[in-house]
Amino acid sequence: MVKKKILKILYKKKGMYLKEEEVTSHAGITAEELKTEIESLKSDGYLIDSSPSEGYRLVKSPNLLLPYELQRELNTEYIGRNIHYFPEVDSTNEVAKKLAEEGAVEGTLIIAESQSRGRGRHGKRWLSPEGGVWMTIILRPDIPPVKAPHLTLLTGVAVAQTLKNEFQLDVGIKWPNDILIGDKKVCGILTEAVADQGELNYVVVGIGIDLNVDLELFPPKLREGATSLQFELEKEVYGVELVQIFLKNFEDIYEKFKEDKFPEILSQWRQLSKTIGKNVEVHKRGRVVHGEAVGITKDGFLILELKDGTLRKVLSGECIHRETG
Ligand code: BTN
């Protein structure tokens, strides 16, 4: 890809001028073609200085999740090696399912700057304006369908660890899969498994991170419980680096999962949990269970201690934190 080649050499000497001949010979194109490509890069948001005597100089890259940016310093084996990028799409989970049906390889990443029909859990809408990270990973694990929810928990661990390590914020997980900073949601995960005759065909794991989204775009009720990294850090966050680090962390944890080390992942989950120790309500199909969250089983069920002291296991539902127990 020509753009990739041009960027490679410009990045090598970022901030310095490179003679036109150096760039054209590296990319294998004519000076005229180079001009066209530079214009196209500028319209992607790259700030490139050009001077007739000195050549070209890369000054600044756009804060976009462009595939050639993501793959530039990606150190994964297979997660994110194959990328489908969209400035806008209906839902990355929907695209992922179509691609998975067509045979897309494990680790394929679908990523978009915005989604027009982003989907959340329980059939809810997921607001996905520009400034967020909206992505889906296609997985093909050799596991029984009942174990698919484990992938949600492991993804939560990968996101929470990434945000905690990179930004030293009070990051944790609200069961089963919301990533919180303090008590505000910064990321949601939507895992969808497709099985046929008891066999798992594929799983798509959708992750939405409110990176630099403008929280004012959210309706007041949603805004109350939400935050963004930009809001917490009081500065714009560069998405490419964060996604690269996340993909590597995700791959490492997913590999652990494939080696049957889910108990290890669960103990990381417990350490990151903001739910255990809290009084919670779990809502499911119009019914509500109240209790204190006291643990998680080896299969990922939340264990609630009810008022009368009995224990109740719940596998799914919407969990609301009430107060510290
Ligand atoms: C939730 O907390 O309700 C889950 C939200 C998941 C949102 C992500 S954004 C990328 C992917 N595409 C979607 O349509 N949804 C998921």
Side-chain angles (χ1 to χ4, degrees):
M1 194 189 182
V2 179
K3 263 189 189 171
K4 205 169 165 181
K5 284 190 181 159
I6 297 172
L7 281 172
K8 193 169 176 194
I9 186 159
L10 288 180
Y11 263 116
K12 237 183 182 168
K13 303 225 169 119
K14 195 172 176 187
M16 287 157 71
Y17 273 104
L18 275 169
K19 293 269 177 242
E20 185 182 80
E21 304 78 62
E22 250 185 279
V23 187
T24 51
S25 69
H26 177 86
I29 52 175
T30 65
E32 214 37 53
E33 282 166 338
L34 178 60
K35 274 200 189 89
T36 314
E37 293 298 336
I38 293 282
E39 281 317 306
S40 161
L41 283 169
K42 283 184 182 169
S43 69
D44 284 346
Y46 287 90
L47 198 60
I48 299 170
D49 280 347
S50 38
S51 140
S53 58
E54 301 199 76
Y56 295 100
R57 175 171 80 138
L58 175 61
V59 182
K60 201 168 176 261
S61 317
N63 194 355
L64 295 176
L65 303 160
L66 300 164
Y68 32 89
E69 287 291 334
L70 286 171
Q71 287 181 331
R72 221 164 50 82
E73 278 169 9
L74 184 65
N75 54 4
T76 58
E77 294 277 324
Y78 58 95
I79 300 288
R81 287 280 147 204
N82 185 8
I83 298 181
H84 294 256
Y85 168 82
F86 301 88
E88 180 173 79
V89 75
D90 52 355
S91 155
T92 53
N93 268 34
E94 287 311 307
V95 178
K97 284 193 269 179
K98 271 186 219 129
L99 290 170
E101 293 291 342
E102 289 162 12
V105 294
E106 170 151 274
T108 299
L109 176 74
I110 298 87
I111 192 159
E113 304 292 348
S114 66
Q115 297 183 118
S116 54
R117 293 165 67 97
R119 291 194 295 110
R121 294 173 67 226
H122 310 297
K124 287 191 190 153
R125 206 177 146 215
W126 180 262
L127 274 182
S128 322
E130 275 174 19
V133 174
W134 321 121
M135 61 181 165
T136 303
I137 304 171
I138 297 175
L139 300 175
R140 299 185 179 278
D142 186 12
I143 53 169
V146 287
K147 287 197 176 171
H150 295 186
L151 296 166
T152 303
L153 295 173
L154 84 78
T155 306
V157 171
V159 177
Q161 278 182 344
T162 304
L163 300 184
K164 209 176 165 93
N165 293 343
E166 290 314 299
F167 305 113
Q168 285 78 46
L169 291 166
D170 172 23
V171 179
I173 308 173
K174 177 161 81 79
W175 180 86
N177 59 358
D178 288 351
I179 309 303
L180 308 184
I181 299 178
D183 60 358
K184 309 257 187 205
K185 180 163 171 174
V186 70
C187 166
I189 298 162
L190 178 65
T191 307
E192 297 182 86
V194 175
D196 190 17
Q197 296 180 348
E199 293 261 318
L200 194 60
N201 279 352
Y202 60 84
V203 179
V204 301
V205 182
I207 303 141
I209 308 176
D210 292 331
L211 192 72
N212 299 308
V213 295
D214 179 359
L215 296 170
E216 296 292 318
L217 296 174
F218 289 5
K221 209 161 166 244
L222 205 66
R223 201 186 311 153
E224 250 171 54
T227 192
S228 71
L229 283 157
Q230 180 172 34
F231 180 82
E232 298 292 331
L233 298 163
E234 296 178 1
K235 63 170 191 207
E236 191 180 346
V237 182
Y238 193 55
V240 165
E241 208 181 305
L242 182 70
V243 173
Q244 286 168 332
I245 297 169
F246 163 73
L247 294 175
K248 174 67 179 141
N249 286 340
F250 180 88
E251 185 174 275
D252 289 349
I253 297 180
Y254 183 54
E255 278 299 298
K256 220 185 243 179
F257 173 73
K258 290 205 274 191
E259 288 161 15
D260 273 335
K261 292 187 181 150
F262 187 59
E264 238 178 75
I265 299 168
L266 264 187
S267 86
Q268 290 173 304
W269 189 94
R270 281 188 196 96
Q271 280 167 24
L272 289 161
S273 169
K274 278 184 178 274
T275 299
I276 295 173
K278 292 239 171 51
N279 279 324
V280 302
E281 282 172 15
V282 180
H283 294 243
K284 193 174 174 182
R285 291 192 207 108
R287 299 182 68 172
V288 188
V289 190
H290 297 259
E292 184 188 338
V294 290
I296 190 161
T297 68
K298 63 177 179 32
D299 295 314
F301 287 75
L302 185 69
I303 310 169
L304 296 185
E305 186 178 323
L306 309 188
K307 241 194 184 139
D308 63 6
T310 54
L311 298 180
R312 172 85 65 87
K313 293 192 295 182
V314 275
L315 179 59
S316 62
E318 181 154 16
C319 174
I320 301 172
H321 288 172
R322 281 308 174 201
E323 86 260 20
T324 309

